[in-house]
């Protein structure tokens, strides 16, 4: 890492910690997703992004030792017991929710209750597996029984962790089966990925693809590509299955080849000319953290290229997208949740902030992963 990158990392980390000292008290043990008029919102307890704030707090606690961050993170985790026990509102994103809250807590503190919560969530996730189609069902609702989405790759680490923790390979088998289905059914020839793939839930046969949060069924939703890069690399880290890493690299090369000059992608690389203006800084932050993970597991030119590209992305995010405004609680500006739904376009989002901090810590040499 060259001196310019080191300078950026030090400056960015200082700005992150200053902002978090200001905002953590106001946000407290609520569950932010998007920043509206400078303040993060508070979501229902079963909302899919509810692990990212405690994940941020655990990273800050680990790095600074400030006990306040731990206290807030633990309070968030306690509140999540309600959806964990209610069961019916739960979805495949229990991985996002409990990997970054309960698994993080268990890894850092050894809390036995956190371990139990995470294993319960892993059991819920395993229960969504369709053995005919070898996929994990994504969302609830009539007619969506056969829907799987690219995001779920980031939920698989909860299953891999559960197998490592219990010594029971059943969770791992499900995770691998889903990852194999993703490689077979989600990746397009040019290296881009579908957001939604639909299977017949009775036969397991592939029915087709849907655009989801992308421009079309066959476009290239940038955050979906970032999920694929990072998720497949995490699967490689748990299994050492080279095909996962190879596919992650393949998707990463498509993305890097199509990044604009500032290294931060539009919401969809194949969006129409009059829509491609909207950026997604959260996709860039997730991609940067995923690229650093590829670099960790690779050698030679691939490792150097991925590390250098991650540094370029992070430098651009800090220089061009970081909010230094004391009236704005979010770290990164211009993330896009869902352009097709006209929902939260170019605003700060909590997962963008999470991945930015995670990538910063990787560049600082930290190795602890909550995934």
């Amino acid at each position: 890492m060259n001196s310019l990158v080191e300078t950026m990392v030090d400056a960015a980390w200082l700005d992150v910690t200053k902002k978090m000292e200001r905002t953590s008290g106001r946000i407290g043990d609520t569950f932010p997703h998007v920043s509206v008029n400078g303040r993060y919102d508070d979501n229902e307890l079963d909302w899919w992004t509810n692990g990212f704030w405690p994940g941020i707090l655990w990273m800050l606690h680990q790095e600074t030792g400030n006990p306040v961050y731990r206290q807030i993170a633990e309070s968030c985790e306690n509140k999540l017991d309600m959806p964990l026990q209610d069961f019916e509102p739960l979805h495949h994103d229990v991985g996002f929710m409990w990997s970054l809250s309960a698994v993080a807590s268990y890894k850092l503190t050894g809390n036995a209750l956190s371990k139990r919560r995470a294993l319960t969530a892993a059991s819920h996730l395993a229960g969504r597996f369709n053995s005919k189609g070898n996929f994990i069902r994504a969302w609830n609702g009539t007619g969506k029984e056969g829907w799987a989405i690219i995001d779920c790759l980031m939920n698989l680490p909860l299953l891999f962790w559960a197998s490592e923790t219990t010594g029971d390979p059943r969770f791992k088998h499900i995770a691998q089966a889903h990852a194999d289905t993703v490689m077979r059914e989600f990746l397009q020839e040019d290296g881009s990925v579908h957001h939604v793939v639909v299977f017949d839930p009775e036969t397991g046969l592939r029915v087709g693809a849907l655009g989801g949060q992308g421009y079309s069924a066959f476009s290239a939703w940038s955050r979906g590509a970032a999920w694929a890069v990072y998720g497949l690399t995490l699967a490689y880290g748990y299994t050492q299955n080279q095909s996962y890493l190879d596919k992650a690299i393949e998707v990463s090369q498509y993305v890097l080849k199509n990044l604009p000059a500032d290294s931060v992608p539009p919401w969809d690389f194949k969006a129409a000319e009059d829509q491609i203006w909207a950026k997604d800084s959260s996709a860039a932050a997730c991609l940067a953290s995923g690229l650093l993970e590829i670099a960790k597991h690779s050698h030679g030119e691939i490792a150097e290229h991925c590390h250098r590209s991650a540094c370029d992305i992070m430098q651009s995010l800090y220089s061009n997208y970081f909010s230094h405004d004391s009236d704005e609680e979010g770290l990164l500006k211009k993330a896009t949740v869902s352009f097709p739904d006209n929902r939260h376009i170019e605003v700060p989002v909590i997962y963008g902030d999470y991945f930015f901090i995670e990538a910063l810590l990787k560049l600082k040499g930290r190795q602890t992963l909550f995934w």
Side-chain angles (χ1 to χ4, degrees), residues 4-126:
L4 288 177
V5 175
E6 288 180 356
T7 299
M8 178 274 295
V9 169
D10 291 341
W13 180 249
L14 181 61
D15 284 339
V16 165
T17 54
K18 285 182 178 178
K19 177 160 285 198
M20 288 300 165
E21 286 172 1
R22 293 196 306 269
T23 62
S24 57
R26 208 289 303 170
I27 297 172
D29 58 355
T30 64
F31 294 98
H33 177 203
V34 299
S35 177
V36 180
N37 297 323
R39 287 167 68 93
Y40 264 121
D41 60 1
D42 180 18
N43 287 270
E44 297 295 324
L45 290 174
D46 58 8
W47 189 241
W48 76 274
T49 63
N50 286 357
F52 287 103
W53 176 236
I56 287 172
L57 293 167
W58 279 119
M59 288 190 292
L60 289 166
H61 171 67
Q62 183 184 25
E63 191 67 12
T64 68
N66 187 336
V68 172
Y69 296 135
R70 173 175 176 169
Q71 291 164 10
I72 301 173
E74 289 177 335
S75 184
C76 288
E77 184 183 339
N78 291 337
K79 285 187 172 183
L80 291 176
D81 279 349
M82 185 175 292
L84 190 63
Q85 300 305 320
D86 284 350
F87 175 74
E88 287 185 357
L90 292 181
H91 35 73
H92 73 141
D93 284 327
V94 296
F96 279 120
M97 295 172 71
W98 278 279
S99 288
L100 304 181
S101 58
V103 173
S105 173
Y106 177 65
K107 286 184 174 182
L108 296 181
T109 72
N111 187 333
L113 182 55
S114 295
K115 174 184 176 182
R116 193 176 312 136
R117 286 166 169 150
L119 290 174
T120 301
S123 295
H124 286 326
L125 183 56

Side-chain angles (χ1 to χ4, degrees), residues 218-296:
F218 298 94
S219 63
W221 180 47
S222 60
R223 193 161 70 250
W227 296 143
V229 169
Y230 202 172
L232 286 170
T233 307
L234 290 170
Y236 169 78
Y238 275 104
T239 65
Q240 302 302 298
N241 182 335
Q242 186 63 38
S243 65
Y244 295 157
L245 186 60
D246 290 343
K247 285 297 183 181
I249 293 170
E250 181 181 330
V251 178
S252 75
Q253 296 314 298
Y254 170 83
V255 175
L256 293 175
K257 182 176 65 177
N258 288 282
L259 282 180
D262 71 352
S263 296
V264 175
W267 67 280
D268 193 308
F269 290 106
K270 300 177 186 176
E273 190 173 343
D274 62 342
Q275 297 180 13
I276 204 165
W277 57 268
K279 291 282 196 173
D280 188 359
S281 61
S282 73
C286 180
L287 176 65
S289 199
L291 288 169
L292 291 172
E293 208 62 20
I294 290 178
K296 184 176 78 175

Side-chain angles (χ1 to χ4, degrees), residues 144-161:
K144 297 179 180 178
E145 293 84 357
W147 289 25
I149 68 175
I150 194 67
D151 318 38
C152 195
L153 283 173
M154 296 298 294
N155 292 315
L156 300 186
L158 180 64
L159 297 176
F160 286 122
W161 169 85

